[in-house]
């Protein structure tokens, strides 16, 4: 449910200010985000529980670590985080520039949504027009173009999605069929890692912002998506010291 908790390194709550972590979850803003327009909204949540996996460390180790922090040392954790930016779509062609800089950008995902005439819940509907099957995407970071050639048909988009999430050439599958992919399950994905799944093998966007050239999203204003979402998956460093906790992206 929370990316920060889905890491290889557990959060050392013993060294976090206050002795714990506060988790805030926003369930939904509107009913349309989680309910189809033809379905019932007559429901409620109750008896909520937070299930936590905990590793208990030896008290001697915690004492040694405390002395290390109080002596001016620090504890550095590598985590991976998500960043999402919303863009308004004004035509069949647009250029998206992500101005936030990342030390290591691992991958990014582009999805669309159309508000008018949509009867499905927002949380799992990724719109693509029937006139946008020739959608073309090319990304650039500094002087580097990613991928080397434009992704300009559904087969290529689907293939790159499987590679980006690490299920291509494996026995693992995803719950998006090839048929649904071109209508209400479209996700354009690009992998920026030099070595898949390796630490810190992504690309730096400092002084070289991520720019996406998107073409052929549709034919007319009636079938174009209304919004585009750009989600970036990147490395993040968390440093814990006696002065507090700092986060660097």
């Amino acid at each position: 449910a929370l990316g920060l908790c889905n890491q290889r390194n557990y959060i050392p709550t013993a060294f976090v200010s206050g002795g714990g972590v506060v988790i805030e979850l926003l369930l939904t803003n509107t009913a349309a985000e989680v309910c189809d327009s033809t379905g019932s909204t007559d429901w409620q949540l109750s008896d909520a529980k937070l299930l936590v996996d905990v590793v208990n460390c030896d008290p001697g180790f915690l004492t040694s670590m405390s002395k290390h922090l109080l002596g001016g040392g620090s504890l550095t954790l590598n985590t991976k985080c998500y960043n999402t930016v919303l863009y308004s779509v004004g035509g069949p062609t647009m250029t998206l520039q992500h101005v936030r800089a990342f030390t290591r950008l691992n991958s990014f995902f582009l999805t669309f949504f159309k508000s008018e005439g949509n009867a499905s819940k927002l949380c799992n509907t990724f719109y693509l027009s029937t006139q946008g099957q020739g959608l073309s995407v090319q990304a650039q970071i500094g002087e580097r173009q990613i991928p080397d050639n434009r992704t300009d048909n559904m087969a290529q988009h689907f293939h790159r999605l499987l590679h980006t999430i690490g299920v291509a050439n494996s026995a693992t599958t995803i719950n998006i069929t090839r048929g649904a992919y071109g209508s209400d399950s479209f996700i354009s994905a690009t992998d920026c890692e030099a070595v898949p799944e390796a630490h810190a093998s992504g690309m730096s966007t400092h002084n070289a912002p991520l720019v996406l050239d998107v073409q052929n999203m549709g034919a007319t204003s009636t079938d174009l998506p209304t919004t585009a979402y750009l989600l970036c998956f990147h490395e993040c460093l968390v440093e814990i010291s006696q002065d507090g906790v700092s986060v660097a992206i």
Side-chain angles (χ1 to χ4, degrees):
L2 188 62
L4 182 62
C5 296
N6 189 23
Q7 307 290 338
R8 295 181 178 179
N9 296 323
Y10 277 28
I11 300 175
T13 56
F15 306 117
V16 175
S17 178
V21 176
V22 177
I23 299 177
E24 297 181 2
L25 297 178
L26 175 63
L27 297 179
T28 180
N29 287 309
T30 64
E33 295 179 358
V34 294
C35 297
D36 295 339
S37 61
T38 56
S40 172
T41 58
D42 186 17
W43 52 270
Q44 63 181 8
L45 298 178
S46 62
D47 194 22
K49 294 182 176 64
L50 178 63
L51 305 180
V52 182
D53 291 328
V54 179
V55 174
N56 293 319
C57 297
D58 182 84
F61 171 78
L62 294 178
T63 301
S64 299
M65 185 61 68
S66 298
K67 292 181 179 179
H68 170 71
L69 296 178
L70 293 175
S74 63
L75 178 62
T76 302
L77 304 177
N78 171 258
T79 64
K80 295 186 178 182
C81 301
Y82 295 96
N83 174 265
T84 304
V85 179
L86 168 66
Y87 301 86
S88 297
V89 178
T93 298
M94 63 187 304
T95 299
L96 309 181
Q97 181 168 340
H98 196 290
V99 296
R100 187 169 185 176
F102 301 114
T103 302
R104 288 293 181 267
L105 175 63
N106 295 327
S107 57
F108 54 89
F109 303 83
L110 177 66
T111 61
F112 303 104
F113 181 74
K114 181 177 176 61
S115 57
E116 296 85 358
N118 181 52
S120 301
K121 61 186 72 173
L122 278 66
C123 64
N124 59 4
T125 301
F126 305 112
Y127 172 81
L128 186 64
S129 167
T130 55
Q131 304 298 321
Q133 301 302 301
L135 178 74
S136 176
V137 177
Q138 177 75 70
Q140 184 167 341
I141 299 178
E143 298 180 353
R144 174 80 180 275
Q145 289 188 336
I146 307 171
D148 296 335
N149 299 302
R150 297 187 69 93
T151 306
D152 54 11
N153 62 66
M154 288 297 101
Q156 292 182 38
H157 281 293
F158 192 69
H159 178 74
R160 293 194 181 279
L161 172 64
L162 298 181
H163 270 274
T164 302
I165 62 179
V167 301
N169 304 319
S170 71
T172 306
T173 60
I174 61 176
N175 65 344
I176 299 177
T177 64
R178 177 62 183 85
Y181 181 73
S183 58
D184 61 359
S185 301
F186 176 77
I187 303 175
S188 175
T190 304
D191 193 355
C192 300
E193 293 179 290
V195 181
E197 303 300 324
H199 167 61
S201 68
M203 296 187 63
S204 172
T205 62
H206 286 275
N207 301 319
L210 170 64
V211 179
L212 267 72
D213 179 28
V214 186
Q215 301 179 8
N216 304 326
M217 287 182 288
T220 64
S221 59
T222 57
D223 74 303
L224 285 174
T226 53
T227 53
Y229 295 86
L230 179 60
L231 184 147
C232 293
F233 181 51
H234 62 95
E235 302 278 353
C236 181
L237 287 178
V238 178
E239 184 179 66
I240 302 175
S241 65
Q242 63 175 344
D243 298 324
V245 179
S246 60
V247 180
I249 61 172

